[in-house]
Amino acid sequence: MRARLPVLVPVGLAVAWLLLLVATGWGTASWERGYDLAVYRHGAADLLAGRDVYLRVTDRGHYFVYPPLAAALFTPLLLLPATAAVWVWDALLVAVTVLAGTRLLRLLGARGWGVGLGVAAVLVSDPFAEAFVLGQVSPLVVLGLVAGCAVAGRRGAALAALAAAVKVTPALVLVAVANPAARRRFVAPTVVVGGVVTLLGALAAPASWRSYFTDLLWDSARVAAPGTPTNNSLAGAFAHAGLAAGPSSALAAVLAVPVVVLTVLVARGVAWSEAADRLRFGLLVSLVTCLVSPVTWSHHALAAPLAAVLLLARPRAAGARGGAVLVTAALVPWLLPVLQWGAALQAGGGPGAVAGVLLAETRPLALLLLVLLLARPPRRGAVAGVGRLSGASRRPPSP
């Protein structure tokens, strides 16, 4: 028991902090308790009733925006009353995040208090706190993608495929096709599993499936404007700086091209036989997804605090040679509600509005900094000796 205290104590305090946020509402005024989980439940109920899952509009003007498969996966939530469903879902989020975070930190060599403090930092981060209050699925999507890359093989491919099937943007992981060693052992099973489960969504709700993939997926009117205060994407960065929605989106699209090209180049150079290097790639993909998506809410960006914590745990193995100072600078904006503070300052006008804009820019800049740190390959030999997660990693690299 004493050996577990370095993990149990920080994690327990982090969970207590999350419960305090729920009880007091401090810093979460714009987060309605269980709001997103209620949207999932409505989508599941509409699916079972044979209705189009994309027609229902919430009191705040939002829709169910995931593929029909997600609505099918959320149907078990209907077995519980709404309040109980939120607590069960939140317990699941905490359990999965703690287990995955612990394993990934230990993969990079962290032990004892390093593991406990790292996992606790992820739990108290703004992305996880927002997901916890809202009852969001995003942490599971992020962890599925990142852990899927680290595990690799068929199991890892299944995790990554499910993440992409529930929320389409993680499909960017398929740039791993640029890596010869990953094509057969990871990309091919990811495509197969992703295709099968996506078609299952078509069987569950054929009309909704057609409308989603032929129309709604490309309909930007169903998402918020780039200038929304809690948008962390490239488009949000330009909008926070004062550009209108059109130019912000256009500039973001232009800048997204070199960012995606960089991701392809990193994918090509990943030592696919090494779990730590695959983990670096998975984190990079998740962060790039946040940047190039039109709207990235805080809960979409759990990979940011996770990446920073993992880089601090073993910077050389993870590819960050910029030093702990740069990584810490990229972590701090995710531990504080800087976007809420920025919105409050901007609402007050005057000199504080400039400070509000600068605070809002810290999140996209932190994402870019983490991308650059992860894109730099680890020094030769830095990855060797790091723990492995799958049998696939024991095979010699392909020529």
Side-chain angles (χ1 to χ4, degrees), residues 8 15 31 127 186 197 199 228 237 239 251 274 287 333 340 352 360 374 398:
L8 294 178
V15 173
W31 306 342
F186 181 75
V197 295
L199 289 175
T228 304
L251 282 174
E274 299 294 341
L287 294 173
Q340 290 90 327
L374 288 167
S398 298

Side-chain angles (χ1 to χ4, degrees), residues 78 116 131 134 363:
L78 299 176
L134 294 174
R363 291 282 183 83

Side-chain angles (χ1 to χ4, degrees), residues 172-219:
L172 182 64
V173 74
L174 295 181
V175 298
V177 73
N179 189 296
R183 289 172 192 165
R184 180 175 58 84
R185 300 204 298 265
F186 181 75
V187 176
T190 298
V191 171
V192 171
V193 175
V196 169
V197 295
T198 299
L199 289 175
L200 289 177
L203 294 176
S208 295
W209 192 89
R210 284 194 302 272
S211 66
Y212 181 82
F213 284 102
T214 61
D215 181 24
L216 301 180
L217 181 60
W218 323 104
D219 185 2

Side-chain angles (χ1 to χ4, degrees), residues 37 77 80 83-93:
L37 194 68
L77 295 173
L80 298 171
T83 301
V86 174
W87 287 114
V88 170
W89 186 260
D90 281 348
L92 176 66
L93 292 183

Side-chain angles (χ1 to χ4, degrees), residues 62 99 117-118:
H62 298 153
L99 290 173
L117 293 173

